[in-house]
Amino acid sequence: MPLLLNADLGEGAGGIDLDVDAAVMPHIHQANSACGFHAGDQMSMLKTLQLAGRHGVMIGAHPGYRDLEGFGRRSMAHTPEEIAALLHYQIAALDGMARSMGLTLAYVKPHGALYNDMMKDAQLRRAVMEAVASFYQPLHLMIQATPEAEAHRREAAALGVPLWLEAFADRCYDDSGLLVPRSCSGAVLSREQTLAQVASLVETGEIIAAGGLRLPLAADTLCVHGDNPESIRVIRELRQLVS
């Protein structure tokens, strides 16, 4: 299966990011739409869905903690029941809008702190997986590709949840196969480094870590960012690499 490209979209209120989203959408396979809790609103969801439908792009819900002020980047404690309600509320909003437009929701990608917390906390990860499993229709769950990928696949399979494992096109990895924190120098790759990293993944299934080690990374999809003209150009080049 070739690598897919995904992008986080619809993160402005009132559809104000429409120009950015419109530039990104023709070059990706999967659109992760903010659902209103960390960013976005009913109009941004509508515009994202319209663009995705126009370009034949898969639609995913991008739910996060209820944290508009912190853009979903602040960790919050929740019980498994609260996690299920938190996710179902957001997923259902996007799903309902999509269905009314003749579109189908395909997957869920948690956002920000929820995504990071889930990867570190097995109980939270199970709560997220259970929430996706108990939604009324089958959905894929997108989580970070790590050295524990096979264990994560087994966790999800036990609950009947298919996974898409996500790598990051423009992020540097450490020698253990985890992302170098953004606070560290070199954490975000240059255009040339990004293209080289993705070319290596496509050709060999490996990434070259910060220390020079070649590490296998099982990835189904690549997260790309398109918030400026240069990054849009990189996305176009990445689409050619993975096609």
Side-chain angles (χ1 to χ4, degrees):
M1 175 178 169
L3 280 171
L4 303 174
L5 299 184
N6 76 81
D8 303 341
L9 302 174
E11 292 185 322
I16 60 172
D17 287 339
L18 182 59
D19 290 345
V20 173
D21 290 3
V24 170
M25 197 72 78
H27 310 294
I28 62 174
H29 305 93
Q30 299 165 310
N32 319 318
S33 177
C35 301
F37 271 26
H38 78 276
D41 62 10
Q42 68 277 9
M43 289 308 299
S44 63
M45 286 191 281
L46 174 66
K47 299 298 184 183
T48 301
L49 289 167
Q50 288 173 336
L51 282 169
R54 191 176 307 150
H55 293 282
V57 173
M58 279 186 280
I59 300 160
H62 195 37
Y65 291 129
R66 193 177 186 95
D67 181 27
L68 281 172
E69 296 80 6
F71 196 66
R73 291 174 175 158
R74 299 182 292 189
S75 295
M76 298 181 177
H78 288 292
T79 65
E81 182 181 42
E82 290 169 340
I83 287 293
L86 179 87
L87 292 179
H88 286 175
Y89 186 94
Q90 295 175 78
I91 297 166
L94 187 68
D95 176 64
M97 293 184 73
R99 287 171 64 85
S100 71
M101 299 166 66
L103 302 173
T104 302
L105 194 65
Y107 65 96
V108 177
K109 175 187 170 180
H111 165 81
L114 178 58
Y115 183 96
N116 294 331
D117 293 347
M118 172 185 70
M119 298 310 302
K120 297 181 225 177
D121 184 332
Q123 289 186 322
L124 176 57
R125 188 166 59 251
R126 182 176 179 85
V128 170
M129 290 179 177
E130 287 178 340
V132 174
S134 62
F135 198 65
Y136 81 96
Q137 70 174 49
L139 296 171
H140 277 69
L141 174 64
M142 190 181 294
I143 69 171
Q144 186 179 343
T146 75
E148 302 300 317
E150 287 310 308
H152 294 157
R153 285 197 192 275
R154 289 194 295 271
E155 291 173 359
L159 296 168
V161 177
L163 291 186
W164 274 320
L165 298 176
E166 176 185 46
F168 292 81
D170 62 353
R171 292 292 302 279
C172 182
Y173 286 80
D174 65 24
D175 288 352
S176 68
L178 300 177
L179 292 176
V180 172
R182 283 186 177 272
S183 57
C184 297
S185 176
V188 179
L189 302 180
S190 67
R191 169 183 169 274
E192 291 75 17
Q193 291 170 322
T194 297
L195 293 173
Q197 176 156 281
V198 174
S200 179
L201 264 178
V202 170
E203 294 166 9
T204 68
E206 298 176 332
I207 53 101
I208 302 172
L213 292 176
R214 299 189 69 90
L215 298 173
L217 190 69
D220 305 302
T221 184
L222 283 170
C223 183
V224 296
H225 300 96
D227 54 2
N228 60 70
E230 171 64 14
S231 61
I232 301 296
R233 182 163 73 95
V234 173
I235 291 173
R236 290 200 298 265
E237 292 175 301
L238 292 177
R239 179 62 184 256
Q240 293 178 341
L241 276 176
V242 303
S243 296

